[in-house]
Amino acid sequence: LDGGSLLHRLKWAEGSTHNSIADDYASFTVKHYGKATVVFDGYEVGPSVKDGTHQRRTQKLNANKVNITEVTKFVGKKEDFLSNETNKQTLIHMIMERMRQRDCDVLQAEGDADVEIAKAAINMSASRTTTLIREDTDLLVLLLHHVVVSKCSGLYFCSDKAKLNVYNIK
């Protein structure tokens, strides 16, 4: 699963603790996808190919850094909170820990996660049937580029916006 896409799937109730928000993501993932592998973008390194996208998405937003602890309560708008990369990274660390506690595999790329997501799915498909779930098709192109079909036991791409479109990569 693309962790960045996952961050936008759930609504946050104002007054919820950041701990409960992280738990909600882990519960949602296990309920809908089982013990999934989730890959998040990295936000702690230098320039990234997604810098332009991040700036465009957050240009009208101006969130202050929040001192996040497990008991800190969320107030405001989710989009504002996530526009601050320090806030986002801290919450991602909490979500990753909760997912690991539920036996999910969780990775964080150094920058943009798309290539890492595709490679993780391809590697997993060598030993078991694997479905990569994502909301857009850029990962479909990466799968087609990187896959060695003869080493793949079963690899599928499914858009999480239109679940009727499932592509067999073979």
Side-chain angles (χ1 to χ4, degrees):
L1 295 172
D2 174 5
S5 174
L6 185 63
L7 283 177
H8 300 285
R9 300 278 308 269
L10 300 180
K11 293 184 179 186
W12 300 0
E14 192 158 339
S16 297
T17 65
H18 290 96
N19 186 48
S20 68
I21 291 169
D23 284 334
D24 289 347
Y25 279 103
S27 297
F28 175 87
T29 300
V30 171
K31 178 181 178 183
H32 293 279
Y33 304 107
K35 294 178 181 177
T37 298
V38 182
V39 184
F40 289 94
D41 285 329
Y43 295 95
E44 295 178 331
V45 296
S48 160
V49 297
K50 285 201 172 175
D51 285 348
T53 302
H54 293 156
Q55 287 174 348
R56 187 184 76 249
R57 287 180 184 162
T58 62
Q59 68 185 355
K60 295 179 183 174
L61 305 174
N62 189 14
N64 294 323
K65 181 178 180 269
V66 177
N67 184 19
I68 300 170
T69 67
E70 291 184 355
V71 296
T72 306
K73 292 187 178 187
F74 168 70
V75 292
K77 294 181 180 178
K78 178 170 100 170
E79 296 79 18
D80 291 340
F81 176 88
L82 292 175
S83 71
N84 181 299
E85 290 187 357
T86 302
N87 295 344
K88 190 175 201 177
Q89 184 60 63
T90 303
L91 182 66
I92 286 171
H93 283 304
M94 291 177 78
I95 293 169
M96 290 172 63
E97 180 58 32
R98 296 314 175 290
M99 287 181 172
R100 286 186 182 115
Q101 290 170 357
R102 290 175 173 85
D103 295 324
C104 292
D105 291 323
V106 187
L107 308 167
Q108 187 163 29
E110 287 190 22
D112 178 48
D114 288 352
V115 172
E116 297 302 319
I117 293 167
K119 287 182 177 181
I122 291 166
N123 289 338
M124 290 171 58
S125 74
S127 61
R128 64 182 181 264
T129 300
T130 303
T131 302
L132 192 154
I133 300 169
R134 172 72 186 257
E135 68 184 35
D136 55 23
T137 57
D138 56 341
L139 281 171
L140 175 60
V141 174
L142 286 168
L143 285 177
L144 294 170
H145 175 75
H146 288 285
V147 72
V148 177
V149 176
S150 62
K151 296 181 180 181
C152 174
S153 69
L155 180 58
Y156 298 88
F157 175 87
C158 176
S159 170
D160 63 357
K161 286 193 175 184
K163 292 194 180 200
L164 299 176
N165 294 328
V166 177
Y167 300 95
N168 183 338
I169 300 306
K170 277 189 165 185

